Amino acid sequence: MRVTLAFTIKEFLLLLRDPGGLFVLFMMPVMFMVVFSLALGGLFEEGAARGSARALEVPVAIGGAGEVAEQVVEQLDATQGLAMIREQDGQALTAEAVAQLVADGAYPVGVVFPDGLTALLEDPRILRGEQVKPLEVDVIVDPATTAQVTGPLEGALSAVLQQVVGRRLGEAGAAAWFEQVAAGLPAEVRAQLAASMQPDGQGEGALPVTTRRRVPPGVEREQFPDQFQQNAAGYTVMGVFFIATVMIESIFRERRSGAMRRLRAAPVGRAPIVISKLVPFYVVNLIQIVIMFAIARLAFGLDLGFIPAVVVVSAALALVATGMGIALAGVARSETQGTGLAVIVVLTTSALGGVMVPRFIMPEAMQQIGNITPQAWAIQGYQDVLVRGQGLGGVWLEACVLLIFAAVFTVIGVWRFRFD
């Protein structure tokens, strides 16, 4: 018993010799709880509709569509989970403005009503039951947005159009019939008939208004990401950053063995030594990316789009991951602290960057915070190629931002690098 107690006390003393490692151990679940609670905070609301999705903001252009469009938008705005945005900077949104907002990524989806919608429903040909060319309400969608986001809007729009347009046609048709048939009746009878006429809100036959989905200008392919497009990009991005744990273990192992002290005695500066440490892990990261996308292509038929653009994003991403690894190795005071810190940083920034939780469902503040993570820029770069069909011109911004991240991490790693 005494021996067991003595060994137990010894182990506790060893743990206490590394307070940084203990801090990381305790902080890891706390960080996950805080980050994911904030990231998912917009998914649920309090009140009677507890558990309902956060309202999806949808820019809408009414233009010359008239009263019918106004009624449709009012009902959509009153629908739980939808918030219709009609103005920007105090000005009513136009069709071009809505398309541009979706193209810029400000909103995942927008709605544009056709001019002359109300006037069409008052056309005497329709009241006589004649067929006319239907008008189309455009649902403008960013192809990188999943159908889980756009589906409820499209369903609600179709249902409200059916109700509003159907009621409008029913009222107009009933009024026309009433004027023709009941014109010769006494005033009291006419009043009774008019009071008894209650439209059911449903039109008969096909409505002269339909919806269509289209992509914003500048997008070459109309395609929604499937699970492989999302996961291949997301988990490739997250996976390469775990090279940081391997780098930390390698550096601390060389410190324990004395290899670092021997390197310090060599007639070379610190920067060449650090860079020489980065190169092998950089190559490993590139191989990992190739394997991930090769599996996605061969096993699941993933269309990789313009390969040179994928290569550019991948090369920049691998630099960021190895740079982060050397920076964390320089900051950490022990191997336990370093590996634990790497896990926290990688998983937290991956969550904020949209690997685990798509950023468009996060609260606005969390989306802005996600912009400071390299994962967000890497995923956006991959999606520009895999989903939006962009080439080199479409990923240059993401690649440049990733290179800036890589430079900052590498400078920190060189500055903080220790040989013992």
Side-chain angles (χ1 to χ4, degrees):
M1 184 66 181
R2 290 181 179 178
V3 175
T4 302
L5 180 60
F7 277 113
T8 301
I9 293 174
K10 185 263 296 182
E11 294 297 331
F12 271 115
L13 292 175
L14 289 176
L15 285 174
L16 293 175
R17 289 176 60 183
D18 185 13
L22 283 176
F23 177 78
V24 169
L25 183 66
F26 292 138
M27 282 301 297
M28 187 182 304
V30 174
M31 288 296 296
F32 290 153
M33 178 184 67
V34 172
V35 170
F36 279 102
S37 295
L38 291 175
L40 296 173
L43 285 177
F44 302 97
E45 299 174 346
E46 297 293 336
R50 190 178 184 86
S52 61
R54 180 173 68 96
L56 173 66
E57 294 184 339
V58 182
V60 56
I62 295 177
E67 179 186 353
V68 171
E70 293 280 359
Q71 294 177 4
V72 172
V73 172
E74 288 179 4
Q75 291 198 31
L76 288 174
D77 201 31
T79 301
Q80 190 172 20
L82 294 176
M84 310 305 289
I85 309 298
R86 307 187 195 190
E87 296 182 350
Q88 184 180 42
D89 299 329
Q91 299 293 324
L93 288 171
T94 63
E96 294 77 13
V98 170
Q100 193 60 49
L101 286 171
V102 177
D104 293 342
Y107 299 94
V109 61
V111 175
V112 176
F113 286 90
D115 291 338
L117 174 58
T118 301
L120 175 66
L121 301 183
E122 297 171 351
D123 191 323
R125 294 175 299 168
I126 294 180
L127 302 181
R128 293 195 299 266
E130 298 179 14
Q131 294 295 322
V132 298
K133 182 180 179 180
L135 293 179
E136 294 177 322
V137 178
D138 286 334
V139 180
I140 304 175
V141 180
D142 181 351
T145 304
T146 62
Q148 286 84 351
V149 174
T150 61
L153 169 65
E154 292 179 284
L157 177 60
S158 296
V160 173
L161 276 173
Q162 176 79 20
Q163 182 183 30
V164 173
V165 174
R167 178 184 294 116
R168 186 83 174 201
L169 292 177
E171 290 174 349
W177 174 86
F178 185 80
E179 290 298 326
Q180 293 177 5
V181 176
L185 296 177
E188 296 180 359
V189 177
R190 286 169 56 89
Q192 292 176 358
L193 286 175
S196 65
M197 292 170 57
Q198 299 293 334
D200 61 5
Q202 303 294 329
E204 296 182 0
L207 296 179
V209 183
T210 62
T211 62
R212 67 169 179 173
R213 178 191 299 173
R214 66 182 183 90
V215 296
V219 177
E220 300 178 8
R221 291 188 297 179
E222 182 174 357
Q223 179 181 350
F224 281 76
D226 56 28
Q227 67 270 32
F228 304 118
Q229 289 171 325
Q230 173 67 30
N231 293 336
Y235 289 106
T236 296
V237 169
M238 184 173 70
V240 296
F241 280 95
F242 277 107
I243 198 71
T245 60
V246 181
M247 295 177 67
I248 291 169
E249 292 172 357
S250 173
I251 290 172
F252 276 94
R253 184 168 57 249
E254 291 193 38
R255 287 176 182 169
R256 289 194 302 269
S257 68
M260 284 293 185
R261 288 190 294 272
R262 292 192 293 272
L263 285 174
R264 189 176 188 180
V268 294
R270 178 179 300 187
I273 294 175
V274 174
I275 293 174
S276 69
K277 293 288 182 187
L278 292 175
V279 173
F281 297 106
Y282 178 73
V283 173
V284 169
N285 265 345
L286 291 179
I287 295 174
Q288 182 180 10
I289 293 173
V290 170
I291 291 174
M292 291 287 288
F293 280 116
I295 292 174
R297 178 71 182 97
L298 298 175
F300 307 114
L302 177 66
D303 181 7
L304 298 181
F306 190 62
I307 299 296
V310 176
V311 171
V312 168
V313 176
S314 300
L317 171 63
L319 278 176
V320 177
T322 51
M324 178 182 286
I326 203 72
L328 292 174
V331 171
R333 293 295 179 180
S334 69
E335 182 177 346
T336 302
Q337 182 188 46
T339 54
L341 182 62
V343 171
I344 289 178
V345 171
V346 170
L347 291 181
T348 302
T349 53
S350 294
L352 291 173
V355 170
M356 306 169 188
V357 181
R359 293 177 64 214
F360 55 78
I361 69 172
M362 296 181 184
E364 183 64 28
M366 294 298 292
Q367 293 184 37
Q368 296 302 322
I369 294 174
N371 285 328
I372 66 174
T373 67
Q375 287 90 336
W377 292 94
I379 291 175
Q380 181 174 320
Y382 279 134
Q383 285 189 342
D384 281 343
V385 182
L386 302 180
V387 181
R388 300 184 180 96
Q390 299 293 323
L392 290 174
V395 300
W396 70 268
L397 175 61
E398 290 86 349
C400 288
V401 173
L402 290 174
L403 290 177
I404 293 173
F405 274 111
V408 171
F409 289 146
T410 303
V411 169
I412 293 174
V414 172
W415 170 49
R416 299 284 298 178
F417 192 81
R418 300 188 308 276
F419 292 91
D420 50 26

